[in-house]
Amino acid sequence: MTGARNHQGAPVGTFAAPGRQEAIAYFFGEELRNVRKRRQLRQVELAELIGIDVGTYGRIERGEHSPRLTTVVALADALGIHITELVASIPGPTVPKPTPIEHARASRVRNGGHRPGKQSGYGE
């Protein structure tokens, strides 16, 4: 592994779960390709319009490169769309269901540390 990694193996400074970054890049690139084709533009034409290398542009469409926000804005502007159209197809994060133990702990926190159904005080 190269670069700094946290205890779970994800790159430091990354908020996406492992595998999520790749999914984001894939779905973004796929939508970018669809919009470009609807506009009947070639990769080289769109790359030239926004001032990036056609090889870099190809990697973006294949999901091999995540562009900077300024590049995403330039792409959307060149395509005549809002940037949300390029990211709308990206699936949201999956949130795991809490385990019964995690659920019980969360219930205690909401109840001020007391078990549900139990009264606090003396005589317990």
Side-chain angles (χ1 to χ4, degrees), residues 41-75:
L41 289 168
R42 295 180 307 147
Q43 285 185 350
V44 67
E45 293 170 322
L46 188 51
E48 287 175 359
L49 277 172
I50 66 165
I52 65 171
D53 178 73
V54 69
T56 299
Y57 179 83
R59 288 193 307 279
I60 293 170
E61 272 197 7
R62 290 188 303 274
E64 298 169 0
H65 177 75
S66 295
R68 292 181 179 190
L69 182 58
T70 53
T71 303
V72 174
V73 171
L75 286 164

Side-chain angles (χ1 to χ4, degrees), residues 13-53:
T14 301
F15 294 100
R20 177 127 170 87
Q21 288 180 319
E22 291 83 3
I24 290 169
Y26 171 81
F27 285 105
F28 178 83
E30 189 174 72
E31 189 60 30
L32 179 60
R33 181 183 313 109
N34 292 336
V35 174
R36 175 184 59 79
K37 287 184 175 186
R38 283 196 303 270
R39 298 285 190 272
Q40 298 179 347
L41 289 168
R42 295 180 307 147
Q43 285 185 350
V44 67
E45 293 170 322
L46 188 51
E48 287 175 359
L49 277 172
I50 66 165
I52 65 171
D53 178 73

